[in-house]
Amino acid sequence: MDKLKSKITIILMLIYNLSIIFVFKYLMFTMENVQYVTGLDYKIPKIVLPIGISFFTFKAISYVVDIYREKAEAQKNPLNAGLYITFFPQLLAGPIARYESFADQIQNRKVSFDDISAGVCRFLIGLSKKVLLANNLALVADKAFKLLGTDDLSLAMAWLGALCYTLQIYYDFSGYSDMAIGLGKMFGFHTEENFNYPYISKSTTEFWRRWHISLGSWFRDYVYIPLGGNRVGGKKRLFFNLFVVWALTGLWHGANWTFICWGLLYFVSISLEKVTGLDKMQSHVMLRHIYTMLLVMFGWVLFRAENITDALIYLKTMFIPGGAGLVDADAMVCSKEYLGYLFFGILFTRPFAKKLAKTKLAKLKLSQAFYVITLMVLFLACISYMLKSAYNPFIYFNF
């Protein structure tokens, strides 16, 4: 196929894939905003969002682009192409596997006892993150956000709710990623990591190198670099490229202005870090960490709120106490009842387990036996929690 035909084909395939996600995810949002701006009166259809559409659309785009760039060969068997796009462990909430790294595994994967064993352990760790930490921290976060707009949200409860949601979304999403990676290993597929302790970051640039790694690398390889990346003539073009990437990153998460503003918050922050060199400074490590975590937490408030107005009211309450004052009974009760979940939630954001695994102590048979017993206890605790708790879907199912 000559270059012209290849270009026409790739353009048509991109239009086709982007049209699907636009119709199901953004058509209603676009029509609502056009109606708001123009005042036109027309009926807006109610379109149900298929689960995981953002993930399998991105994988489909990766498939056609990687073949166009000759980084992988086209699948002659349509079932193999379908296996990549609809690989069920990653289909609902990622990680977003790129075809370039997945193609060889479809043809030459091997299932080994070591992979099955490691996959089961990884799956149980992810399950524990979701059921034991994320679901319990969600109870406090949901309570705080439900009090929004009333006089019953105190300053302390607002901070507690924001902290719990910050931990909840991490353990919810990284828990799902662990389960997906673990299931993949059981079937002989090796998937790239999606998280690398993002809450130890000392800049927002570093945060996005550690958070949702597969999404960041997807936008880098398929949007940012084709736009010119960092190697552009001037600052204006560089900031334009960053603006496009972060606006799309926000929009990808949902058809709501809260998500777009959340993405643009990182555009502003990362642009400032590039201008000032803050992300490369070796001094004031603790201050940089505190600044990063505060910005991340404020960003999650924007992400969690139903609309921009709610987000601003919530953020205002975090600094200016309303009718409920500085501290109320809800904040006292929640902080006491969920102290254990908060403690372990904060503790496991640090990579101490990773460092411990590299020591000689971890290689002792007694330590390995203790690790297996711990996983079995966690599994039984998860079963117990799931039997008595309500339906708790993964947050990223919505995207």
Side-chain angles (χ1 to χ4, degrees):
M1 189 181 291
D2 59 40
K3 284 189 176 180
L4 180 61
K5 285 184 179 176
S6 296
K7 276 192 175 180
I8 293 172
T9 303
I10 188 70
I11 289 170
L12 289 175
M13 293 304 295
L14 289 175
I15 291 173
Y16 171 74
N17 282 298
L18 292 174
S19 298
I20 292 174
I21 196 171
F22 176 80
V23 169
F24 283 103
K25 194 166 180 178
Y26 303 109
L27 180 60
M28 289 191 297
F29 175 68
T30 304
M31 292 180 73
E32 285 169 2
N33 281 279
V34 170
Q35 191 175 63
Y36 179 78
V37 172
T38 62
L40 293 173
D41 185 21
Y42 51 77
K43 188 177 180 182
I44 299 174
K46 297 291 183 187
I47 301 173
V48 178
L49 182 68
I51 291 177
I53 187 170
S54 299
F55 292 94
F56 64 72
T57 302
F58 271 32
K59 290 174 78 173
I61 291 173
S62 170
Y63 175 75
V64 295
V65 172
D66 285 355
I67 291 171
Y68 173 74
R69 291 175 173 172
E70 299 182 347
K71 290 185 174 180
E73 293 184 1
Q75 283 292 336
K76 295 177 181 176
N77 185 344
L79 291 178
N80 284 341
L83 171 63
Y84 160 67
I85 295 172
T86 62
F87 186 54
F88 80 91
Q90 304 166 348
L91 183 61
L92 300 179
I96 306 170
R98 287 175 296 171
Y99 182 64
E100 177 188 355
S101 61
F102 204 82
D104 183 60
Q105 298 187 63
I106 293 176
Q107 303 290 353
N108 304 309
R109 71 186 174 90
K110 294 178 182 176
V111 179
S112 67
F113 177 78
D114 286 347
D115 275 349
I116 294 174
S117 174
V120 170
C121 292
R122 189 67 183 267
F123 181 88
L124 292 178
I125 291 170
L127 182 69
S128 303
K129 283 182 178 180
K130 165 63 179 167
V131 176
L132 302 181
L133 289 176
N135 287 359
N136 283 294
L137 291 164
L139 297 175
V140 182
D142 289 346
K143 186 177 184 62
F145 278 88
K146 279 180 183 175
L147 293 173
L148 186 63
T150 70
D151 287 333
D152 297 329
L153 180 63
S154 67
L155 184 144
M157 190 63 196
W159 277 96
L160 186 62
L163 173 62
C164 285
Y165 186 70
T166 299
L167 294 170
Q168 178 204 348
I169 194 168
Y170 171 61
Y171 287 112
D172 189 287
F173 191 23
S174 70
Y176 183 90
S177 293
D178 286 338
M179 294 166 74
I181 291 169
L183 278 171
K185 275 191 176 180
M186 292 181 214
F187 293 110
F189 288 100
H190 294 257
T191 308
E192 295 172 8
E193 294 294 333
N194 211 24
F195 290 88
N196 183 21
Y197 300 98
Y199 289 165
I200 64 170
S201 301
K202 299 167 191 67
S203 69
T204 50
T205 303
E206 182 186 353
F207 173 76
W208 274 99
R209 283 199 295 266
R210 293 174 175 274
W211 177 274
H212 206 341
I213 297 168
S214 63
L215 179 68
S217 60
W218 195 98
F219 273 108
R220 181 196 63 207
D221 293 344
Y222 299 107
V223 180
Y224 188 60
I225 291 177
L227 284 172
N230 293 327
R231 298 177 180 178
V232 288
K235 294 282 186 187
K236 284 185 179 177
R237 178 65 195 211
L238 173 63
F239 292 139
F240 172 77
N241 292 350
L242 288 170
F243 174 82
V244 171
V245 168
W246 287 106
L248 290 176
T249 300
L251 190 62
W252 177 84
H253 282 84
N256 192 319
W257 283 104
T258 54
F259 295 120
I260 297 172
C261 291
W262 173 76
L264 294 179
L265 174 70
Y266 283 100
F267 158 67
V268 173
S269 173
I270 290 172
S271 297
L272 287 173
E273 288 177 2
K274 285 190 178 298
V275 170
T276 61
L278 180 67
D279 58 317
K280 295 174 183 173
M281 286 183 186
Q282 299 302 317
S283 58
H284 306 300
V285 172
M286 185 53 69
L287 284 176
R288 287 171 52 204
H289 176 62
I290 292 171
Y291 135 77
T292 302
M293 287 314 301
L294 284 175
L295 191 139
V296 168
M297 191 184 293
F298 298 154
W300 289 137
V301 170
L302 191 57
F303 192 92
R304 173 66 172 76
E306 293 292 326
N307 52 59
I308 299 292
T309 304
D310 281 357
L312 292 176
I313 293 172
Y314 194 99
L315 289 169
K316 179 184 172 186
T317 310
M318 291 174 73
F319 294 95
I320 305 173
L326 286 173
V327 184
D328 63 349
D330 284 330
M332 295 294 289
V333 170
C334 285
S335 59
K336 185 178 178 183
E337 286 188 1
Y338 294 92
L339 182 62
Y341 299 108
L342 278 167
F343 173 76
F344 285 110
I346 294 171
L347 182 68
F348 291 134
T349 60
R350 322 303 295 185
F352 77 90
K354 188 177 178 181
K355 291 178 181 175
L356 184 65
K358 293 179 180 177
T359 63
K360 291 181 181 177
L361 181 66
K363 294 175 183 174
L364 297 175
K365 286 188 177 179
L366 185 63
S367 301
Q368 293 170 2
F370 177 75
Y371 177 63
V372 173
I373 292 171
T374 302
L375 287 180
M376 291 175 67
V377 170
L378 289 174
F379 178 61
L380 293 175
C382 288
I383 296 295
S384 174
Y385 268 88
M386 285 191 289
L387 288 175
K388 68 179 183 181
S389 62
Y391 175 58
N392 288 294
F394 288 95
I395 292 174
Y396 265 69
F397 275 10
N398 299 320
F399 309 135

